[in-house]
Amino acid sequence: MTSRLLFQLFLLFSLSVYSQSSTKELIDELNTIDNHEKKVELCQKIAVRLQNSDWERAVKYIEQAEIEAKKTSNPDETLAAVYITSGELYDAKDALDISLQYYLKAYDIYKEKNNTEEVKRVENNLAILYAKSNNQEKALKYFLQVYKYQKIKKDPTKMAKILNNIGTIYLEKNLDSSLHYYQKAYSIIKGLRNEKLTVYIYTNLARAYSFKKDNAKAELYFEKAFAAADSTSDNSLKSFAHETFVDYNLKQNNLDVAITHAKQALELNKNKSFGFSGMRLNKMLYDAYLKKQDYKNAVYYFEQYNKISDSINIEQKAVNLERIRLEQDYKVRGQIRTLEEEKTRFKYYVVGLILVVGILILIILLIRYRNKNIKNQLEKEKLKAKQQELKQSLEAKNMVLVGKAMSEIHRTDNINEILTDLKMIKLKTVNKELQQAIDIVLKRLEKDLNTDIWKEFEISFEQVHKSFFDKLSVDYPLLTPKERRLCALLYLDLTTKEISQITGQSFKSIENARTRLRKKFDLTNEKVNLSTYLNSFKGDLM
């Protein structure tokens, strides 16, 4: 069992008889009064009394408190108080998400009303809730805000508690910060007579110094914690100090000391032996005996640890199931309330809605014919404009593609021709200095030469005209790269003169190339234009 569950069972046992009688009296009083403020107060008290014995009825009374709060002279803050009670009820059931929703509702109301005292009270609840759910960032945020307020209010006990909580959150995150807050709490409790808080702070200081490897200070604060714990009758508090000391001695390999204090802690905690503390202590004893190679005792304490672990797992599953049920109940009840409110409003809207619908039907019948004609006309114009836009866009892309890519191809071809001429000159000259100079020029030209320009042209061309080269390669796999380039330019409907200007080839060379293409396409005796033939590929492209 967790400490929370043990605490709840203790309260349930000790107050069960009292609750049954006093709750009935509160219900009788609730049924006889008309004052809404008093009804809110009684509903909250009844819900708190019933939370452990009859959860369903507790929820009904807290919902009734919400309804009555809205009828009071100060509905906002009264409702906020009910939200806090609701948050505490669901927190006690470990339904942290639902509890958080209620706390945040109350928080918003108090902030809007500038009620600082209540804002800080809710912030403290939020900090604890976030700490339970391992949201350290938000827990620290709210703890620090509450601490600043309590510092102004000069409430030392609350300040020390908050500082201790902040130190614990920082313990594994930032050891120096943890020690800073523990020491601040320690400086405050010196002047207080609060043994329980004193034991917690001494023990936490010892634990922090042990993490810092300062064993002298760790042992000093352990001694102070034990001395303060001996003056109290709280066995769970004493067990906490011993358990922390056991963990310290295990790390120091002081196995006999660890075993002695672990057994003392188990004895102090025997009424709660099947809780998390008992599980941890049995695990520590198992580790200690295992290191001592006392396998008989090690096996015994491992079995004890397993029993408690299994028990806690079973309880945890039950808690999870209860949480799921509570969350579902919360959602269902919220939906029911919403539906009831909508049903009430719906009655007033029906008549007006029928009239409005009748008028709308008449208007729709009158304008439908006109709108249909307008819509058809608009769609035709949009289609026409879209087709024109696509055509212009394609033409523009083609021009950019041709202008950019082919200018690069022309430049590359020129460079290749210059390279060829220079290499010929180099072969013919006998002057070594001239040959070296030609080599330098050749390297600079070759460096500037884009050998992949046709590949880049094909990629750019494919982006505009999908799968053209794939179709061409499948149907005519024996085409040369230059012939493929010519096919692309003809596909773009360029004339022989335009192709000659772009590529830098003579008119006659282009004509000869076109003739060779016609032969490969088996169009020699056909009266079919090459551009038209290549554009027929469009129907096959995906």
Side-chain angles (χ1 to χ4, degrees), residues 480-496:
T480 66
K482 285 191 175 183
E483 288 172 338
R484 286 165 57 86
R485 184 191 311 178
L486 180 59
C487 287
L489 297 173
L490 290 170
Y491 179 84
L492 297 175
D493 290 327
L494 297 178
T495 65
T496 302

Side-chain angles (χ1 to χ4, degrees), residues 112-173:
E112 186 179 347
K113 298 294 182 180
N114 292 321
N115 189 334
T116 306
E117 183 72 27
E118 293 299 328
V119 165
K120 297 305 170 184
R121 183 159 74 95
V122 179
E123 284 181 346
N124 191 67
N125 290 347
L126 287 170
I128 294 170
L129 201 62
Y130 281 124
K132 287 180 182 178
S133 58
N134 294 322
N135 191 332
Q136 295 182 349
E137 185 178 346
K138 287 193 175 181
L140 282 170
K141 170 190 170 184
Y142 286 114
F143 271 136
L144 290 170
Q145 289 176 189
V146 177
Y147 174 72
K148 290 178 183 177
Y149 178 75
Q150 296 300 341
K151 191 174 180 181
I152 295 170
K153 298 286 286 185
K154 298 181 179 178
D155 188 328
T157 301
K158 290 182 180 178
M159 287 168 62
K161 286 181 180 178
I162 295 168
L163 289 168
N164 181 62
N165 289 334
I166 295 173
T168 302
I169 290 173
Y170 271 119
L171 189 59
E172 295 182 2
K173 186 177 180 181

Side-chain angles (χ1 to χ4, degrees), residues 213-445:
K213 309 298 183 186
D214 190 339
N215 294 339
K217 286 187 178 179
E219 290 172 7
L220 171 66
Y221 282 110
F222 272 126
E223 288 178 10
K224 290 185 177 184
F226 286 132
D230 288 340
S231 65
T232 71
S233 58
D234 190 337
N235 285 342
S236 63
L237 188 63
K238 295 176 182 179
S239 176
F240 167 72
H242 282 287
E243 182 184 334
T244 309
F245 191 58
V246 171
D247 184 57
Y248 166 74
N249 279 284
L250 276 176
K251 291 175 182 176
Q252 298 298 315
N253 216 29
N254 299 327
L255 302 180
D256 291 331
V257 177
I259 290 169
T260 300
H261 282 271
K263 289 181 177 179
Q264 288 180 22
L266 279 176
E267 180 63 24
L268 290 165
N269 210 31
K270 61 184 178 181
N271 293 331
K272 304 175 183 178
S273 58
F274 274 76
F276 281 104
S277 178
M279 182 180 72
R280 289 192 298 268
L281 288 165
N282 277 287
K283 179 66 166 58
M284 290 175 181
L285 282 165
Y286 160 72
D287 290 337
Y289 279 117
L290 191 63
K291 287 182 179 180
K292 285 173 67 75
Q293 298 184 352
D294 184 345
Y295 300 112
K296 181 179 179 181
N297 279 315
V299 169
Y300 170 77
Y301 283 108
F302 185 77
E303 289 175 349
Q304 294 298 109
Y305 163 76
N306 260 344
K307 287 179 185 178
I308 300 171
S309 177
D310 290 343
S311 172
I312 288 174
N313 286 338
I314 291 169
E315 285 197 22
Q316 189 61 46
K317 291 174 184 176
V319 169
N320 288 338
L321 288 173
E322 177 68 0
R323 182 182 299 134
I324 292 169
R325 189 184 68 80
L326 290 171
E327 290 175 351
Q328 186 61 33
D329 285 350
Y330 171 79
K331 292 176 182 176
V332 170
R333 291 177 187 279
Q335 290 170 355
I336 290 172
R337 285 199 301 271
T338 302
L339 288 172
E340 288 175 348
E341 291 172 359
E342 289 177 353
K343 184 178 178 181
T344 302
R345 290 195 297 269
F346 181 77
K347 292 177 181 178
Y348 296 102
Y349 296 154
V350 169
V351 175
L353 184 59
I354 291 172
L355 292 173
V356 171
V357 169
I359 294 170
L360 287 174
I361 291 172
L362 291 174
I363 294 172
I364 290 169
L365 291 173
L366 291 172
I367 66 174
R368 178 176 291 178
Y369 179 76
R370 186 192 65 178
N371 286 349
K372 186 176 180 180
N373 289 336
I374 293 173
K375 183 178 179 182
N376 290 337
Q377 186 64 31
L378 286 173
E379 286 178 353
K380 288 179 182 178
E381 291 177 2
K382 284 181 181 178
L383 182 61
K384 185 178 179 181
K386 188 173 182 180
Q387 290 174 342
Q388 184 66 24
E389 182 181 351
L390 289 172
K391 184 178 179 182
Q392 291 174 352
S393 175
L394 184 60
E395 290 174 355
K397 288 179 180 178
N398 287 341
M399 293 305 296
V400 171
L401 177 64
V402 172
K404 180 180 177 181
M406 299 316 298
S407 64
E408 275 296 309
I409 292 170
H410 190 195
R411 188 177 72 86
T412 301
D413 288 343
N414 287 338
I415 292 174
N416 279 324
E417 289 175 5
I418 294 170
L419 286 170
T420 302
D421 292 341
L422 285 172
K423 287 176 183 177
M424 292 296 295
I425 293 170
K426 179 183 174 184
L427 290 172
K428 292 178 180 180
T429 185
V430 294
N431 189 318
K432 289 186 178 181
E433 291 181 356
L434 183 58
Q435 287 179 347
Q436 290 176 351
I438 292 172
D439 282 337
I440 293 170
V441 174
L442 284 171
K443 288 179 181 179
R444 290 179 63 184
L445 286 172

Side-chain angles (χ1 to χ4, degrees), residues 35-166:
N35 184 284
H36 296 299
E37 283 81 0
K38 186 65 176 175
K39 281 187 174 183
V40 172
E41 181 184 345
L42 288 171
C43 285
Q44 291 182 91
K45 286 182 179 179
I46 295 168
V48 172
R49 297 277 177 85
L50 292 174
Q51 65 174 317
N52 294 315
S53 59
D54 191 340
W55 173 252
E56 295 290 338
R57 290 177 68 203
V59 171
K60 288 180 181 178
Y61 278 106
I62 204 66
E63 288 177 349
Q64 187 177 342
E66 286 188 44
I67 294 169
E68 294 296 332
K70 295 174 182 177
K71 300 175 184 178
T72 61
S73 57
N74 186 12
D76 290 339
E77 295 206 14
T78 306
L79 194 59
V82 175
Y83 287 151
I84 290 176
T85 303
S86 300
E88 291 168 349
L89 289 175
Y90 281 101
D91 185 11
K93 290 289 185 180
D94 283 335
L96 302 184
D97 290 346
I98 301 174
S99 177
L100 179 63
Q101 290 175 11
Y102 278 116
Y103 283 146
L104 291 173
K105 285 181 181 179
Y107 188 55
D108 290 339
I109 292 173
Y110 285 133
K111 282 186 73 176
E112 186 179 347
K113 298 294 182 180
N114 292 321
N115 189 334
T116 306
E117 183 72 27
E118 293 299 328
V119 165
K120 297 305 170 184
R121 183 159 74 95
V122 179
E123 284 181 346
N124 191 67
N125 290 347
L126 287 170
I128 294 170
L129 201 62
Y130 281 124
K132 287 180 182 178
S133 58
N134 294 322
N135 191 332
Q136 295 182 349
E137 185 178 346
K138 287 193 175 181
L140 282 170
K141 170 190 170 184
Y142 286 114
F143 271 136
L144 290 170
Q145 289 176 189
V146 177
Y147 174 72
K148 290 178 183 177
Y149 178 75
Q150 296 300 341
K151 191 174 180 181
I152 295 170
K153 298 286 286 185
K154 298 181 179 178
D155 188 328
T157 301
K158 290 182 180 178
M159 287 168 62
K161 286 181 180 178
I162 295 168
L163 289 168
N164 181 62
N165 289 334
I166 295 173

